[in-house]
Amino acid sequence: MGAIWRLGNGRDGSLLTMGVRGLGVPPPPPPLRPHLPAATLSLSSSSILAFDSLAHHLSAANFRQADHDTRRLLIRLAGEAAEMRGYVFFSEVQFIAADDLRAIDDLWRCHSGGRFGYSVQRRLWEKAQRDFTKFFIEVGWMRRMETEVEQFTYRSFPGEFIWELGDETPAGHLPLTNALRGTQLLGSILTHPAFGEEEEEEEDEERGKVLSSRTLKKPPDYSF
């Protein structure tokens, strides 16, 4: 009986894996490296492992653990001060590389059929005209209270949130960002340059369609 070790330098996408001969215990599945951006190759091994953990739990539809992995990953990517503190200040979001934030978003969208992710939340937030209360209701972070007058309250974490991808699960419900003490952190994530380019491209495309339709609808020429 002995252990099987494989250790790579990270540049070829390999990571440390271990199995045990004689016990029928296979090594863990290989990391989903194709989802990671080239920028992650300069990260520490612990950060790369965090990306792999997120990809693994999302592929298994373990959204609650993936949500936990996402918060842990944001703390790690935000820098040493955030790691020592254990949470991210809104002013530190700017230090997270756009490629890394897009990689997190890509994983969420890929494993939810495009229904979860920061870019999905950004679109819904813009649709709500950046009104956070309307946005929270739209993504299901607030629930309606059982009162005669229509009132809403924040869902209780973690029991009242939805950790499964079902037909009635609101788009943008995950990943979660704590906004009980203010919306500055969430606002900094949703306005990060990682998602600004996509929004601008969509706006440019929409403007292009409008201009194209105007060009096609020229007034008739009655001259001979």
Side-chain angles (χ1 to χ4, degrees), residues 69 85 89 96-97 160 192 203 220:
D69 288 344
R85 189 187 314 114
F89 281 149
I96 300 177
E160 293 187 351
H192 192 281
E203 290 175 2

Side-chain angles (χ1 to χ4, degrees), residues 20-174:
V20 181
R21 291 192 182 98
L23 294 181
V25 180
L32 301 180
R33 188 70 60 217
H35 291 290
L36 305 189
T40 60
L41 297 181
S42 62
L43 296 174
S44 66
S45 59
S46 60
S47 295
I48 295 177
L49 283 170
F51 267 105
D52 287 328
S53 178
L54 174 60
H56 173 70
H57 288 117
L58 283 172
S59 65
N62 187 348
F63 295 115
R64 180 169 175 177
Q65 185 60 46
D67 184 69
H68 173 75
D69 288 344
T70 300
R71 281 193 296 276
R72 183 178 61 176
L73 187 51
L74 288 179
I75 291 171
R76 192 160 291 162
L77 294 172
E80 185 177 349
E83 286 194 82
M84 294 180 64
R85 189 187 314 114
Y87 55 89
V88 180
F89 281 149
F90 75 92
S91 57
E92 295 170 325
V93 174
Q94 62 182 315
F95 302 124
I96 300 177
D99 282 343
D100 294 329
L101 204 50
R102 273 193 291 262
I104 295 173
D105 181 60
D106 287 345
L107 286 170
W108 275 99
R109 289 190 296 111
C110 174
H111 294 290
S112 66
R115 294 176 61 189
F116 293 156
Y118 291 126
S119 61
V120 177
Q121 294 174 354
R122 161 76 182 247
R123 186 175 66 252
L124 294 172
W125 182 54
E126 294 287 359
K127 185 178 179 181
Q129 299 181 331
R130 299 196 174 193
D131 184 312
F132 278 106
T133 299
K134 292 180 181 179
F135 169 75
F136 293 155
I137 295 173
E138 178 69 22
V139 300
W141 291 2
M142 298 182 75
R143 60 174 177 79
R144 183 172 180 175
M145 300 175 65
E146 296 180 359
T147 57
E148 294 183 2
V149 180
E150 187 176 67
Q151 298 182 44
F152 292 85
T153 185
Y154 289 103
R155 290 182 182 271
S156 177
F157 179 85
E160 293 187 351
F161 284 89
I162 305 171
W163 303 109
E164 296 179 355
L165 183 61
D167 293 337
E168 297 183 1
T169 306
H173 190 68
L174 297 172

